[in-house]
């Protein structure tokens, strides 16, 4: 039994690398747009500004005061993970240079960063990444919950 449990755990760890376990969301641009319209946010399709073959689209929702949310839609999970890893490494560099904190919130693919009075939340699940930022952690968390981004 112990050997089977260990094998199952190893498979889960391997699969987590490719699925973004720790965060669960399946948001479409239409979901983001609908939430923006219902909650007085401004929605913008930024896809035309990003000419990357591995990117299906980039969508922005912001309220100009407290929350800025970007949805990055990639062609594969591997490319979403590469984007996520690059952002985390960038944030680690910033926190080292300017002071701040970076922490996992759940699993390995859900980070919150506090840097110079700004809170960043970087996550990915499947072939999508979310980059959220603002000045108030509670407001960002509330917005992500409203978008059905669930921390596992």
């Amino acid at each position: 039994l112990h050997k089977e449990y260990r094998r199952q755990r190893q498979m889960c760890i391997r699969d987590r690398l490719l699925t973004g376990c720790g965060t669960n969301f399946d948001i479409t641009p239409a979901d983001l747009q609908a939430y923006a319209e219902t909650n007085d946010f401004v929605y913008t399709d930024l896809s035309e500004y990003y000419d990357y073959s591995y990117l299906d689209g980039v969508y922005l929702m912001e309220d100009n005061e407290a929350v800025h949310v970007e949805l990055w839609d990639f062609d594969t999970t591997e490319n979403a993970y590469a984007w996520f890893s690059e952002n985390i490494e960038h944030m680690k560099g910033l926190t080292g240079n300017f002071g701040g904190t970076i922490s996992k919130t759940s699993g390995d693919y859900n980070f919150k960063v506090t840097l110079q009075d700004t809170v960043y939340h970087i996550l990915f699940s499947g072939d999508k990444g979310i980059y959220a930022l603002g000045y108030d952690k509670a407001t960002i968390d509330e917005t992500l919950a409203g978008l059905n981004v669930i921390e596992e």
Side-chain angles (χ1 to χ4, degrees), residues 90-102 115:
H90 176 71
M91 284 296 165
K92 285 179 181 176
L94 289 178
T95 57
N97 292 335
F98 298 107
T101 61
I102 183 167
L115 182 66

Side-chain angles (χ1 to χ4, degrees), residues 39-42 60-69 117-119 133-137 139-140 143:
N39 294 280
D40 295 325
F41 281 76
V42 175
L60 168 66
M61 179 186 82
E62 60 186 341
D63 69 358
N64 295 323
E65 290 182 20
V67 178
H68 169 107
V69 176
D117 299 325
T118 304
V119 177
L133 64 103
Y135 299 108
D136 178 28
K137 176 186 173 300
T139 305
I140 293 171
T143 302

Side-chain angles (χ1 to χ4, degrees), residues 42-55:
V42 175
Y43 171 85
T44 309
D45 182 344
L46 299 175
S47 302
E48 67 184 75
Y49 301 107
Y50 294 89
D51 188 25
Y52 303 122
S53 61
Y54 57 84
L55 193 59

Side-chain angles (χ1 to χ4, degrees), residues 81-106:
Y81 176 71
W83 168 88
F84 172 83
S85 299
E86 183 178 309
N87 273 282
I88 292 302
E89 289 307 310
H90 176 71
M91 284 296 165
K92 285 179 181 176
L94 289 178
T95 57
N97 292 335
F98 298 107
T101 61
I102 183 167
S103 61
K104 295 178 188 179
T105 56
S106 63

